[in-house]
Amino acid sequence: MKIDQTITNLSRRRLLQNGAGLTLGFCLPVLAADKLPAAGPGKAGAGLAAPVNFEPNALLRIGSDNSVTIISKHLEMGQGTYTGLATLVAEELDADWNQVRVEGAPADPTRYNNLFWGPTQGTGGSTAMANSWEQMRKAGAAGRAMLVSAAAQRWQVTAQEILVQEGVLSHVASGRKMTFGELAGDAAKMTVPTAVKLKEPKDFRLIGKQAKRRDTAAKINGTAHFTQDVFLPGMLVAVVAHPPLFGAKVKSFDATRTRAVKGVVDVVQIPQGLAVLAKDTWSAKKGRDALTIDWDDSTAFKQGSEALMTSYRELAKQPGKVARQVGDNDKAFAGAARVVRAAYDFPYLAHAAMEPMNCVINLSADACEVWNGEQFHTPDQVHLAQLLGLKPEQIKINMLYAGGSFGRRASKDSDYLLEVAQIAKAINGRAPVKMVWMREDDMRAGYYRPMFHHALEAALDGNGKLIGWRHRLVGQSIMAGSPFAQMLIKDGIDSVSVEGASTLPYAIPNLTVDLHTPQNVGVPVLWWRSVGSSHTAFSTEAFMDEVAAASNSDAVAFRLALLAEHPRHAGVLKLAADKAGWGTPLKAGPGERRARGVAVHESFNSYVAHVAEVTVKKDGMVKVDRIVSAVDCGTAINPDNIRAQVEGGIGFALSSLYQAITLKDGRVEQGNFDGYPVLRIADMPRIEVHIVPSAEPPTGIGEPGVPPVAPAIANAIAAATGKRLRSLPFKTAELVA
């Protein structure tokens, strides 16, 4: 998920200005062992209870059994957050990595807020490592200092004489040694330091190394807890019948057949549709399928995708609201020796995470407890409290693992959490409720990456120099109606819609970027992995290739000439091109055409370049053979995790080349992976990821690998065939020789 690179940038600046970067890490501990849920198969909190003696701050707990528990304020949804955050603490603590465990933090923005988002707790915008970089390290350093003080006091030596390694404190001169657990009780009596010294990079033993992931074993042996693993006494499972059109409502229904299904307990109407409650998921689904519903679609959205895109293209014929203006484009285009034009279309896209939306809620008169792969703690607390007439602090959220998200679980209006809360409210909280969405529910419920149309023009002088650039975008605003609207929508411009276009790094003397934001489009939209950059990187980098070709220039050299003032862009571009063997010929089989393509893009303050090698068969089928990536994301906390995220982002982006959510008369046509294909392992290319060494603070890595993939492949296809694919999803029929 992404909230937005702009949020990250604005919040980082505010953080530096206010000097408030470490205010959370040193609060008094609240969690205690006797408050944790009992451990056991299928129970939330299984395996978390441990003897606790020492809690120097809200982010660290050390047990007398030598366990070192890191409290993660960010969701682990497969991206490696638990490992990265634990690495930061363990590094400064000098803990034994094998004794480190990670626990999800409760919803509490006073202790666990995202430092880039102000008083808001949540995961997104590829900010987890970046906003926690110093905070988590200082939490570990504080714990270490208190342990050292305890040892020094017990042994009557100076702190400088004590060595800390792998969870053991030792006094070399006397040969005395004690483990963290043995000193935990004494350390708890020490004063929490107000200032600590952090390690120099040369002394790192975990940061920058291949520390093993903390979540892998539990996910392999089945002890990791996801929402589906939560079972509470008397719990009912709910499956909801949603309207087939966005904005439609229940007019009437007949639940006679549903109530006859064995296991069905109740049928309740909620604003989102009809919920069938049963003793198990299968019974609830069978009951839902047996409902007879008459829908009121009088106010529903009924337009189809093709008609909507046609209206976007018409809007693009007129100037929009200016997002960026440099120089005098009218003059540049009037005097141009050549003008290059192209338009690009992008469909709605679903998040399609492995784990569809689900949630468990136990509601009582004065409290609501939630179990969920929780990504948006504070907004969800606030929305649930408003619905239930409670205070946010009366909403207790247990953060479990999530099977992917790509932005979907950070719902700006908490849609699926409110849905299960409505169900629990409708039955007066008489039983805990687990709401389960089937894949079709997940695919058709909306909250998609918005559909967009881009129109671009470039002006070249007589020497083939790029002297003018116009970029017009048409698409729905994601930030409208979100908690970040006031910050990110200025003068009618949603900065997320134009990010990557309005922030184009190339030195173009005359540049205009403008935007149309269509109103009254009833399709719910949401941030999707890399958000605005997911479409702006394609349009800008594919068009830049077209402009380079029009000027008879090499695609890499043309870009580098325009990136003199952006060395980090240029650095990854040079590295990827060099490692890929840019400029050397590729061997092709009989009837095949092979070529390379390149793209470079910045998102979330990280810089990524991809070089793609493709083979186009005689029948037009495309095989992506190899992708060489270079990434500059500041200090590499865990290089293996960075490579995994770039590799995963490439696979995610490759899927999107052939995916689309389409509407026919307002109805979503896709329901499962038969109509919304996901990349298969056999189609995954060979991938090389090269990480630029850096001493800069870490930046995002969960999303930046996605944006340059599609344009690099499109550019490679064009180099192989001479044909430009300007609309997604790709249609291989256009490439038949």
Side-chain angles (χ1 to χ4, degrees):
M1 169 240 175
K2 147 92 157 115
I3 297 303
D4 174 54
Q5 180 180 356
T6 311
I7 295 177
T8 302
N9 292 340
L10 289 174
S11 301
R12 179 180 283 115
R13 286 197 291 270
R14 184 174 296 112
L15 187 66
L16 294 174
Q17 290 165 359
N18 295 343
L22 300 168
T23 56
L24 270 196
F26 303 97
C27 300
L28 292 175
V30 171
L31 297 179
D34 61 353
K35 299 296 184 183
L36 291 169
K43 294 182 180 179
L48 296 182
V52 177
N53 290 90
F54 177 38
E55 298 181 61
N57 48 64
L59 302 168
L60 172 63
R61 190 166 68 233
I62 296 176
S64 58
D65 61 352
N66 290 318
S67 62
V68 175
T69 301
I70 313 301
I71 311 301
S72 173
K73 63 182 184 177
H74 293 292
L75 172 65
E76 176 59 76
M77 46 190 158
Q79 82 279 38
T81 291
Y82 276 13
T83 300
L85 295 179
T87 298
L88 299 179
V89 178
E91 177 68 76
E92 298 292 344
L93 186 63
D94 280 315
D96 181 346
W97 186 247
N98 293 319
Q99 294 174 341
V100 171
R101 52 203 277 177
V102 187
E103 177 182 314
D108 183 351
T110 65
R111 295 184 297 156
Y112 299 114
N113 70 307
N114 186 314
L115 298 180
F116 289 168
W117 296 359
T120 300
Q121 184 180 354
T123 306
S126 297
T127 60
M129 297 303 113
N131 94 93
S132 305
W133 169 240
E134 285 196 0
Q135 181 190 30
M136 301 300 284
R137 290 174 65 197
K138 289 210 169 187
R144 183 186 190 278
M146 294 169 74
L147 286 163
V148 168
S149 294
Q153 187 178 87
R154 175 175 286 208
W155 297 333
Q156 292 299 296
V157 299
T158 65
Q160 290 73 25
E161 297 176 68
I162 294 174
L163 179 68
V164 186
Q165 286 183 316
E166 300 284 341
V168 177
L169 294 91
S170 58
H171 183 243
V172 177
S174 66
R176 286 174 289 189
K177 293 183 179 182
M178 294 187 76
T179 66
F180 282 4
E182 290 171 328
L183 278 167
D186 289 355
K189 302 172 186 176
M190 298 294 108
T191 301
V192 178
T194 56
V196 290
K197 183 180 179 181
L198 299 179
K199 288 184 179 180
E200 295 294 328
K202 64 181 178 60
D203 298 322
F204 289 161
R205 65 180 185 85
L206 290 174
I207 295 175
K209 308 301 190 294
Q210 306 294 99
K212 293 181 180 179
R213 284 185 64 136
R214 294 293 81 190
D215 56 335
T216 301
K219 289 177 177 177
I220 290 173
N221 65 29
T223 59
H225 282 80
F226 296 80
T227 305
Q228 288 299 101
D229 298 313
V230 177
F231 297 94
L232 303 176
M235 185 181 76
L236 297 176
V237 178
V239 174
V240 179
H242 297 110
L245 296 172
F246 297 116
K249 298 179 180 180
V250 175
K251 181 186 294 183
S252 62
F253 68 95
D254 183 351
T256 304
R257 291 190 303 150
T258 296
R259 295 185 185 280
V261 173
K262 185 179 179 181
V264 169
V265 173
D266 205 350
V267 178
V268 296
Q269 184 171 345
I270 57 175
Q272 296 85 353
L274 289 171
V276 176
L277 294 113
K279 294 180 179 179
D280 57 80
T281 304
W282 183 241
S283 298
K285 181 190 180 299
K286 288 200 298 181
R288 190 268 305 269
D289 294 346
L291 286 168
T292 300
I293 308 172
D294 185 13
W295 299 100
D296 176 3
D297 61 5
S298 58
T299 60
F301 182 75
K302 299 177 182 177
Q303 200 168 11
S305 300
E306 292 184 13
L308 189 58
M309 183 59 80
T310 297
S311 70
Y312 283 14
R313 295 185 187 121
E314 285 298 313
L315 267 178
K317 294 177 181 178
Q318 302 297 324
K321 294 182 178 179
V322 176
R324 184 181 177 192
Q325 179 71 59
V326 177
D328 186 345
N329 251 330
D330 290 341
K331 183 177 179 180
F333 277 84
R338 182 173 180 181
V339 174
V340 183
R341 295 183 176 88
Y344 302 86
D345 293 333
F346 303 91
Y348 288 111
L349 290 176
H351 299 78
M354 183 179 292
E355 179 187 18
M357 298 303 100
N358 50 15
C359 181
V360 175
I361 280 183
N362 191 17
L363 179 64
S364 63
D366 57 1
C368 173
E369 187 165 7
V370 179
W371 290 264
N372 179 38
E374 182 61 41
Q375 187 172 354
F376 228 19
H377 304 69
T378 303
D380 289 345
Q381 259 190 325
V382 170
H383 291 143
L384 286 168
Q386 290 172 344
L387 171 68
L388 300 171
L390 300 172
K391 297 176 181 179
E393 56 268 26
Q394 292 176 291
I395 310 296
K396 179 183 178 182
I397 296 179
N398 300 287
M399 181 171 67
L400 309 179
Y401 285 120
S405 172
F406 314 118
R408 182 62 182 90
R409 291 183 180 275
S411 175
K412 58 187 177 182
D413 56 13
S414 306
D415 69 298
Y416 72 98
L417 283 94
L418 292 183
E419 185 168 296
V420 65
Q422 291 277 15
I423 298 168
K425 186 178 178 181
I427 64 170
N428 297 314
R430 71 174 185 266
V433 177
K434 177 191 287 185
M435 185 198 67
V436 178
W437 281 12
M438 304 297 116
R439 178 61 61 189
E440 288 77 9
D441 302 320
D442 199 76
M443 195 78 72
R444 292 173 176 151
Y447 297 89
Y448 307 122
R449 195 283 301 274
M451 173 189 287
F452 258 86
H453 172 74
H454 294 238
L456 291 98
E457 295 179 307
L460 299 171
D461 66 13
N463 297 317
K465 182 180 178 182
L466 178 57
I467 58 172
W469 181 280
R470 289 174 176 154
H471 189 169
R472 182 163 296 153
L473 303 90
V474 184
Q476 288 171 260
S477 167
I478 288 173
M479 288 298 156
S482 80
F484 308 102
Q486 187 174 0
M487 180 188 297
L488 295 173
I489 301 178
K490 301 294 184 183
D491 300 321
I493 300 287
D494 182 339
S495 59
V496 170
S497 295
V498 296
E499 63 181 354
S502 63
T503 56
L504 197 70
Y506 299 109
I508 305 170
N510 306 286
L511 181 146
T512 305
V513 178
D514 61 14
L515 171 70
H516 287 284
T517 303
Q519 305 299 315
N520 302 318
V521 179
V523 182
V525 294
L526 189 64
W527 28 74
W528 183 92
R529 192 174 186 178
S530 76
V531 202
S533 289
S534 70
H535 51 92
T536 59
F538 186 99
S539 62
T540 56
E541 285 298 288
F543 190 59
M544 187 59 70
D545 239 51
E546 298 200 42
V547 175
S551 69
N552 296 313
S553 300
D554 173 80
V556 171
F558 189 77
R559 286 173 169 83
L560 287 174
L562 299 171
L563 290 172
E565 297 181 6
H566 291 272
R568 295 180 79 177
H569 285 85
V572 292
L573 180 57
K574 289 177 184 176
L575 181 59
D578 178 63
K579 295 296 184 180
W582 185 264
T584 60
L586 291 168
K587 294 181 180 180
E592 295 179 345
R593 292 159 289 173
R594 298 194 68 210
R596 295 185 184 92
V598 67
V600 60
H601 190 76
E602 175 198 356
S603 56
F604 316 95
N605 298 295
S606 293
Y607 307 80
V608 179
H610 294 318
V611 174
E613 295 178 2
V614 306
T615 298
V616 182
K617 306 289 186 179
K618 191 172 183 179
D619 61 1
M621 295 299 294
V622 176
K623 178 75 167 66
V624 181
D625 303 308
R626 178 184 181 219
I627 293 182
V628 178
S629 303
V631 55
D632 180 350
C633 58
T635 299
I637 295 172
N638 188 313
D640 187 57
N641 198 56
I642 290 172
R643 293 188 186 95
Q645 281 299 285
V646 174
E647 291 165 355
I650 288 170
F652 187 83
L654 284 169
S655 291
S656 72
L657 298 182
Y658 302 100
Q659 294 172 337
I661 290 293
T662 57
L663 308 176
K664 184 176 182 180
D665 299 325
R667 291 175 179 255
V668 176
E669 295 185 288
Q670 293 70 33
N672 212 312
F673 292 130
D674 55 341
Y676 195 83
V678 173
L679 190 75
R680 303 290 180 172
I681 192 67
D683 296 318
M684 191 71 172
R686 289 183 293 120
I687 297 175
E688 298 173 23
V689 180
H690 302 277
I691 302 169
V692 175
S694 176
E696 295 291 325
T699 50
I701 198 56
E703 299 166 88
V706 173
V709 174
I713 293 170
N715 292 337
I717 292 171
T721 66
K723 297 179 180 180
R724 288 280 171 187
L725 298 180
R726 299 189 180 98
S727 298
L728 290 171
F730 285 166
K731 297 178 176 62
T732 55
E734 300 175 22
L735 302 174
V736 176

